[in-house]
Amino acid sequence: MNNYLLRRLLVTVPTIIGITMLIFLVMRILPGDPVSVVFGQEAFVSLSAADQERFRSDLGLNKPLYAQYLDWMAAVAKGDLGRSFWRNDTVADLLARRGPITVQIALMAIVFSWLVGIPVGILSAVRRGSMQDHVARLLATLFLAIPSFWLGVAVVLVGVLYFSWRPPIEIAYLWTDPLKNLQMTIGPAIALGAGAGAYVARITRSSILELMYADFVRTARAKGVGERQVIWRHVFINAVLPVLTLSGLILAGLLGGSVAVETAFGVPGLGTALVRALADRDYMVVQNLVLVYAVIFATVNLAVDLAYGWFDPRIRYD
């Protein structure tokens, strides 16, 4: 198991470093001068060349690219995620203030996907070939095809036009104002959870169908165990493991995928902050938020791989 863990780490660490290089280069390649964003184009051109250079020097943008990248990595290694160029905010403060909202939405989306996807998957598998099965598979395919941000916009429009719903745009934490927090997070959670529920329904159906014809299930039936007990005690218990594993990957994806949905709902989470930083060319915020997303995704993937290796020792030796 230790060798397997070492091999997975040898893949994960270079992946994260590659992502940092990619986002760093992309931010530098994008057209436009970040200093001009601060002052506005007209005020920027009125500055002398010396003043423009001084402002770039204050932001560290006059150094060679490799020096800027190494400075960034050195600061991250010390636990310093930097500060916004344009606002008096550190990235750490941004994570502490907005991170709980994004994490809560992702967790609510996962729970919603279980509540919808698992019963639908069980029903579809148990009644394979029936009308319920066809409808369940059609809906799963439909929600897999619909982008979550489009579904988010649709939920907002329906809520506003037909129910006069106005989601709050100020941060309200679950532990300070539960009702306002729920009004703010329920819409994005449903928009994200619908697509995740489709994945859960499909993996639940396929896992149950595979196990329903396994030898130990046939043995249970031969001993006279009722079909309901066979499904719940022998099939479902074993079929839920792939669902939990998939949910780990979905959770990591939801944290990153919440960017568009948070923007659609105007939720003050990390996704909204990332979009705003991109529009402002706020290098430090964009770089470090993407780095946080990458670390979370890579860590969850690593945990899932280790869980697979733990439950199925054959994988450790592949």
Side-chain angles (χ1 to χ4, degrees):
M1 190 66 184
N2 291 336
N3 290 334
Y4 179 66
L5 173 61
L6 180 61
R7 290 204 305 270
R8 301 309 302 163
L9 285 174
L10 289 177
V11 174
T12 301
V13 174
T15 300
I16 294 176
I17 294 176
I19 291 173
T20 63
M21 291 180 176
L22 182 63
I23 186 61
F24 178 85
L25 291 175
V26 167
M27 290 304 298
R28 269 40 180 201
I29 291 173
L30 288 177
D33 190 324
V35 179
S36 69
V37 176
V38 179
F39 291 94
Q41 191 60 37
E42 293 184 1
F44 175 70
V45 296
S46 65
L47 294 174
S48 66
D51 286 338
Q52 293 180 12
E53 188 60 23
R54 181 169 56 83
F55 285 117
R56 288 196 181 92
S57 177
D58 291 342
L59 298 175
L61 298 176
N62 61 335
K63 296 181 180 179
L65 288 181
Y66 75 88
Q68 294 182 41
Y69 177 77
L70 292 178
D71 287 347
W72 175 38
M73 287 292 96
V76 170
K78 296 176 184 175
D80 180 9
L81 296 179
R83 177 182 295 275
S84 168
F85 285 168
W86 325 136
R87 302 173 185 87
N88 190 28
D89 270 343
T90 65
V91 177
D93 290 339
L94 198 63
L95 287 170
R97 191 169 64 251
R98 297 187 176 223
I101 299 297
T102 298
V103 172
Q104 181 189 345
I105 290 173
L107 292 177
M108 289 173 63
I110 284 291
V111 172
F112 180 78
S113 73
W114 290 343
L115 294 176
V116 175
I118 291 177
V120 170
I122 293 174
L123 178 67
S124 181
V126 172
R127 299 188 180 181
R128 182 183 184 186
S130 66
M131 180 59 72
Q132 293 96 325
D133 181 29
H134 293 311
V135 172
R137 293 167 65 187
L138 175 65
L139 290 176
T141 303
L142 180 66
F143 281 104
L144 282 175
I146 296 177
S148 56
F149 71 88
W150 186 92
L151 190 59
V153 172
V155 171
V156 171
L157 289 177
V158 171
V160 171
L161 294 178
Y162 295 100
F163 300 99
S164 300
W165 174 56
R166 296 288 188 276
I169 57 175
E170 295 180 353
I171 294 179
Y173 299 110
L174 187 62
W175 52 89
T176 58
D177 192 341
L179 181 59
K180 190 175 179 181
N181 173 270
L182 189 62
Q183 291 176 341
M184 181 176 61
T185 55
I186 188 68
I190 291 175
L192 288 170
Y199 280 111
V200 171
R202 289 177 69 92
I203 196 69
T204 301
R205 180 181 185 275
S206 62
S207 298
I208 288 180
L209 285 177
E210 182 180 348
L211 289 169
M212 283 178 70
Y213 303 101
D215 290 341
F216 70 94
V217 175
R218 283 200 293 265
T219 301
R221 288 195 179 103
K223 290 181 178 178
V225 179
E227 189 63 20
R228 187 182 295 272
Q229 288 187 330
V230 167
I231 295 297
W232 287 108
R233 291 188 178 180
H234 297 276
V235 176
F236 178 71
I237 297 298
N238 291 285
V240 77
L241 181 60
V243 174
L244 294 177
T245 305
L246 175 69
S247 297
L249 294 173
I250 291 176
L251 177 61
L254 289 178
L255 290 172
S258 64
V259 173
V261 174
E262 284 183 9
T263 305
F265 281 88
V267 173
L270 288 179
T272 309
L274 181 59
V275 171
R276 185 176 180 183
L278 278 168
D280 292 344
R281 304 290 305 279
D282 200 341
Y283 290 164
M284 198 55 68
V285 174
V286 175
Q287 289 175 182
N288 285 298
L289 285 184
V290 173
L291 175 61
V292 169
Y293 279 122
V295 170
I296 291 174
F297 193 86
T299 302
V300 173
N301 269 287
L302 177 64
V304 170
D305 286 348
L306 295 179
Y308 264 117
W310 179 268
F311 287 107
D312 188 351
R314 294 173 299 177
I315 296 177
R316 306 178 200 174
Y317 305 107
D318 288 344

